């Protein structure tokens, strides 16, 4: 007599697992966009003068010239838009640098790129009398490109390793920040123009600033997202990448151009803001895995969340004054960087 055996649950087909992962990543990206929208509203509503959320919509789309409407349209909205652009630029640049150097602790600030942009802008202010953002942008781009090239030369170009690049970037950044401090001490007339800019700030944002940096950041974002797939191959090593058909030199050149555009324009508009490009891509990688096709979009969305959140915190903790956003991100990023280094050291033991 045959006895029916109890039915066993069947495992889902193997091909459904990647589809499920893709769906989870897509849902996470949509959730991240929702969080970003909440931070955008908070950035407009919160400040020395709190504005009810109901009036934010009126100030954006039904401006009648009231005090709150003026604060929203002329101060808070440009500041928020610049935070969106700068956050996306810095986070995406950090993600590209980490992929390019195969070092999850790489960051445009740690590799001296922000320092190069800052040194160029400070020189333009002090020695050439440049006062407009249009002038800042071109000097910042030139400084960022020069330092990136210098770091790769000092790191050994083709023989460059993550450790050699980090050491070269740290040395270049230390020398450049010493130069920046020396210029500020010697040129007291230009000190007032530079003192808020050099700590990283969104406070002086205007719609003119947003419009001027938008083309550079937009082009940088487009280039970075376009190299996501070849960066996956480069992450496996040059020989493997070439075997897979990736153009390694072209990918490096486009990636470096993207980082230069993103860091140079963001630094010109806001000053040097550190740790955004380090923290967000590193945290995102724990959820998305090593696939740059997901890391880069996530970094583009979540980095403005961090920057706008830090800006809101800076307005609240010192009200009615405020802490500049670069100071807040440094307070958050310093301990986190130490934690990341300790975790990597423990994992290697």
């Amino acid at each position: 007599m045959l006895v029916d055996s109890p039915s066993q649950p069947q495992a889902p087909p193997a091909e459904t697992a990647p589809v499920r992962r893709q769906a989870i990543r897509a849902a996470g990206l949509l959730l991240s966009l929702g969080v970003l929208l909440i931070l955008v509203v908070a950035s407009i509503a919160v400040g020395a003068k709190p504005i009810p959320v109901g009036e934010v919509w009126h100030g954006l789309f039904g401006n009648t010239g009231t005090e709150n409407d003026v604060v929203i349209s002329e101060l808070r909205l440009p500041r928020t838009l610049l935070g969106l652009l700068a956050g996306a630029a810095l986070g995406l640049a950090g993600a590209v640098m980490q992929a390019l150097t195969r070092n999850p602790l790489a960051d445009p600030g740690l590799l001296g790129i922000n320092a190069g942009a800052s040194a160029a802008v400070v020189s333009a202010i002090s020695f050439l009398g440049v006062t407009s953002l249009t002038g800042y942008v071109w000097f910042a781009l030139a400084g960022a490109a020069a330092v990136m090239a210098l770091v790769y030369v000092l790191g050994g170009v083709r023989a460059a390793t993550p450790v050699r690049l980090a050491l070269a970037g740290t040395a270049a950044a230390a020398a450049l920040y010493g130069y920046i401090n020396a210029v500020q001490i010697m040129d007291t007339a230009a000190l007032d123009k530079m003192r808020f800019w050099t700590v990283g700030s969104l406070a002086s944002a205007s719609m003119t600033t947003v419009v001027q940096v938008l083309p550079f950041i937009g082009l940088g974002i487009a280039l970075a997202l376009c190299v996501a797939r070849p960066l996956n191959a480069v992450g496996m090593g040059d020989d493997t990448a070439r075997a897979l058909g990736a153009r390694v030199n072209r990918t490096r050149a486009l990636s470096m151009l993207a980082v230069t555009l993103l860091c140079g324009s963001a630094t010109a508009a806001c000053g040097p803001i550190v740790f955004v490009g380090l923290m967000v891509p590193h945290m995102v990688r724990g959820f998305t895995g090593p696939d740059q096709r997901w890391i880069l979009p996530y970094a583009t969305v979540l980095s403005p969340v961090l920057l706008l959140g830090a800006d809101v915190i800076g307005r609240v903790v010192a009200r009615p004054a405020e802490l500049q956003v670069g100071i807040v991100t440094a307070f958050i990023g310093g301990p986190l960087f130490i934690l990341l280094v300790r975790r990597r050291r423990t994992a290697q033991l």
Side-chain angles (χ1 to χ4, degrees), residues 79 82 86 90 114 118 177 184 193-205 266-274 276 307 310-311 314 322-330:
R79 183 171 186 160
L82 185 59
L90 295 172
N114 286 348
S118 301
Y177 281 126
Q184 289 178 320
K193 298 178 184 177
M194 295 186 289
R195 61 194 183 101
F196 286 114
W197 182 86
T198 53
V199 298
S201 174
L202 300 175
S204 59
T267 303
C270 309
I273 299 175
V274 296
V276 174
L307 193 62
D311 191 39
E322 65 178 63
L323 289 176
Q324 304 304 318
V325 68
I327 297 174
V328 179
T329 57

Side-chain angles (χ1 to χ4, degrees), residues 164-253:
R164 297 174 82 175
L165 289 173
L167 290 174
T170 300
L176 289 169
Y177 281 126
Y179 166 77
I180 291 169
N181 291 332
V183 171
Q184 289 178 320
I185 292 172
M186 292 188 299
D187 190 351
T188 55
L191 179 60
D192 285 339
K193 298 178 184 177
M194 295 186 289
R195 61 194 183 101
F196 286 114
W197 182 86
T198 53
V199 298
S201 174
L202 300 175
S204 59
S206 66
M207 289 306 296
T208 301
T209 304
V210 172
V211 171
Q212 287 178 333
V213 300
L214 180 59
F216 299 99
I217 293 179
L219 179 57
I221 290 175
L223 283 174
L225 294 178
C226 285
V227 297
R229 185 183 293 274
L231 277 176
N232 280 338
V234 171
M236 301 178 188
D238 289 1
D239 293 337
T240 303
R242 291 190 178 94
L244 293 173
R247 300 180 180 179
V248 176
N249 292 334
R250 178 186 177 188
T251 300
R252 281 205 181 100

Side-chain angles (χ1 to χ4, degrees), residues 43-61:
S43 178
I44 296 175
V46 177
K49 176 183 173 58
I51 297 176
V53 175
E55 295 188 23
V56 171
W57 182 269
H58 183 271
L60 292 174
F61 301 103

Side-chain angles (χ1 to χ4, degrees), residues 22-34 287 294 298 301-302:
Q22 296 287 76
I24 292 174
R25 290 169 178 169
L29 192 58
L30 289 176
L31 179 62
S32 301
L33 287 168
F287 175 72
W294 286 103
Y298 264 95
V301 174
L302 289 178

Side-chain angles (χ1 to χ4, degrees), residues 47-48 79 311-324:
R79 183 171 186 160
D311 191 39
V312 171
I313 291 171
R315 296 184 225 174
V316 172
V317 296
R319 188 181 286 172
E322 65 178 63
L323 289 176
Q324 304 304 318

